[in-house]
Amino acid sequence: MEFSIYKIIISRDNYIEFLTREYQMNRVGVVQVGELQKLIDSQEIKMKTKMDFFFKTEDENTNIEWFDYWKVHFQNSD
């Protein structure tokens, strides 16, 4: 199973619009907020990050094998 995780430099709104327009991808589920904690050089770093999930469930040229496995985590994924 493959995952693609990216840190995006452009604004969230611009990138969401780009994914929707250029790749016809849809946001699925609700925005998740994750709290991360790391120990770096004996200093504890805490930060929050927002996570959006986008994917296609149909593609004429590709069968997306992992969709059935992950669809339970998203709303309206039937």
Side-chain angles (χ1 to χ4, degrees):
M1 187 176 306
E2 295 181 24
F3 298 95
S4 298
I5 299 173
Y6 302 94
K7 180 176 181 180
I8 306 301
I9 305 301
I10 64 174
S11 76
R12 286 173 51 84
D13 292 335
N14 286 346
Y15 196 67
I16 289 168
E17 196 239 313
F18 171 77
L19 289 175
T20 304
R21 182 186 68 241
E22 297 296 323
Y23 292 103
Q24 294 78 44
M25 296 184 81
N26 299 310
R27 186 188 302 181
V28 180
V30 296
V31 175
Q32 302 289 316
V33 177
E35 190 168 309
L36 307 173
Q37 296 181 11
K38 273 292 205 195
L39 189 62
I40 300 175
D41 291 331
S42 302
Q43 182 181 8
E44 187 175 6
I45 306 294
K46 292 182 181 181
M47 59 187 275
K48 289 186 179 183
T49 186
K50 290 183 181 180
M51 296 169 276
D52 286 290
F53 297 93
F54 292 84
F55 58 83
K56 289 184 176 184
T57 58
E58 297 177 8
D59 189 340
E60 293 177 9
N61 301 319
T62 306
N63 181 22
I64 303 172
E65 298 174 4
W66 52 263
F67 175 69
D68 287 333
Y69 180 82
W70 288 103
K71 73 180 179 181
V72 298
H73 299 285
F74 305 107
Q75 297 174 354
N76 304 321
S77 59
D78 292 328

